[in-house]
Amino acid sequence: MRIDLHTHSTASDGTDTPAELVRNASAAGLDVVALTDHDTVAGHGEAIAALPAGLTLVPGAELSCRLDGVSLHMLAYLFDPDEPELARERELVRDDRVPRAKGMVARLRELGVPITWERVAGIAGDGSVGRPHIASAMVELGVVETVSDAFTAEWIADGGRAYVGKHELDPFEAVRLIKGAGGVSVFAHPLAVKRGRCVPESAVAELAAAGLDGIEVDHMDHDTAARERLRGMARDLGLLATGSSDYHGSRKTCRLGEYTTDPDVYAEIAARGSGAAPVSA
Ligand code: AMP
Ligand code: ZN
Ligand code: FE
Ligand code: FE
């Protein structure tokens, strides 16, 4: 069984439509794929309608959170998408992404980059708008060579010259809301230091005590030492340890199924999730 529990579609900042994503997941030899767009479940219906035979879809989302000024991501699986409290929080974050992206466009223009909100909105389409869409517009303009090159202090990395923050959830509140909606919570890439500051390990322990289910261990932004450290923390704190690609289509270099989750860990996630069920064609 090959299980990839973290992917993005055009419903947020991936480049595959949800239908393309499930077809590509099947072609990549995956048995299980989770669709975890940023702060939205908008891609689930299309992904389910296009599910190839033999592939199971785990409905999910990646929630934008912040603790003591440090941004972090919380993966949520198998929650009830209609549970009003969690749905409202997703909406608040999503809605705030628009004025925030416009703010970053304005700062970039002040820095002499001829980027327009119309172009960024065009690239984002119906998707929840984020920095990777702005980065793609910067690549088009020749300001940077790759999407990743835009994530520097010079441009739109956390705290960068053109960075603007957005509304983000308290991660303790996120864990509570996910559980309240019957879902399973997994702290995404907790030690992805190349993306910016990370929360201290004590925060992971506190989240575990507050009901966090797991942490993402095998991820492209974790080096070997970070993975070993996280595996130890998962063991000590009784957390599930997952692995996943964080696939974004052509907007990032990682391939579907580049990292995977152990079948026993997936079985435990499926057993704990009660707000929605994995879907098979
Ligand atoms: P946003 O949610 O709009 O703040 O954008 C965050 C997203 O930008 C993340 O989910 C990643 O997809 C992407 N991202 C963050 N840091 C980097 C980086 N250093 N290189 C490439 N992409 C990044
Ligand atoms: Zn993303
Ligand atoms: Fe993330
Ligand atoms: Fe992600």
Side-chain angles (χ1 to χ4, degrees):
M1 277 247 280
R2 295 191 69 224
I3 301 153
D4 186 342
L5 293 181
H6 184 168
T7 71
H8 297 269
S9 74
T10 50
S12 64
D13 55 9
T15 59
D16 287 3
T17 63
E20 286 166 349
L21 186 126
V22 289
R23 286 196 288 266
N24 288 335
S26 180
L30 290 173
D31 301 287
V32 178
V33 69
L35 179 58
T36 53
D37 276 305
H38 296 287
D39 309 304
T40 184
V41 299
H44 292 176
E46 183 186 320
I48 289 167
L51 256 192
L55 181 68
T56 296
L57 180 85
V58 176
E62 186 175 21
L63 305 177
S64 305
C65 300
R66 186 167 58 227
L67 184 64
D68 299 331
V70 178
S71 290
L72 65 105
H73 291 167
M74 188 67 69
L75 290 160
Y77 302 111
L78 302 172
F79 55 87
D80 174 1
D82 297 322
E83 190 283 317
E85 267 196 276
L86 183 56
R88 186 179 141 67
E89 283 301 328
R90 287 196 302 277
E91 192 180 343
L92 279 177
V93 179
R94 234 168 31 236
D95 287 354
D96 195 51
R97 282 174 167 278
V98 174
R100 179 257 196 159
K102 286 181 177 169
M104 284 194 275
V105 166
R107 292 215 183 158
L108 286 165
R109 291 182 66 87
E110 282 164 22
L111 293 167
V113 177
I115 190 169
T116 65
W117 164 246
E118 286 66 35
R119 186 57 198 135
V120 173
I123 291 170
D126 295 334
S128 167
V129 65
R131 282 182 284 169
H133 299 119
I134 294 175
S136 284
M138 291 171 70
V139 171
E140 276 183 2
L141 291 166
V143 178
V144 288
E145 210 166 307
T146 68
V147 164
S148 198
D149 292 337
F151 286 86
T152 61
E154 197 186 356
W155 303 117
I156 57 171
D158 287 10
R161 290 191 303 170
Y163 176 76
V164 176
K166 62 181 180 300
H167 172 73
E168 293 170 320
L169 278 81
D170 173 294
F172 290 90
E173 178 75 351
V175 165
R176 187 183 73 74
L177 290 174
I178 293 165
K179 204 171 277 295
V184 181
S185 56
V186 173
F187 189 156
H189 45 73
L191 290 180
V193 286
K194 65 173 109 165
R195 294 183 180 210
R197 281 167 64 209
C198 293
V199 299
E201 289 181 13
S202 58
V204 179
E206 285 161 21
L207 284 164
L212 177 72
D213 291 288
I215 51 178
E216 199 174 44
V217 172
D218 292 309
H219 183 281
M220 68 181 302
D221 291 343
H222 291 154
D223 61 18
T224 309
R227 288 177 207 183
E228 286 318 308
R229 182 78 208 128
L230 287 166
R231 236 181 283 284
M233 285 166 68
R235 213 181 307 116
D236 295 346
L237 297 169
L239 292 167
L240 300 170
T242 68
S244 39
S245 66
D246 204 352
Y247 175 74
H248 279 70
S250 61
R251 215 165 255 132
K252 278 197 180 176
T253 55
C254 53
R255 290 168 288 108
L256 276 164
E258 188 167 338
Y259 299 103
T260 55
T261 293
D262 184 276
D264 293 338
V265 171
Y266 168 62
E268 183 59 29
I269 290 172
R272 288 187 197 183
S274 61
V279 187
S280 305

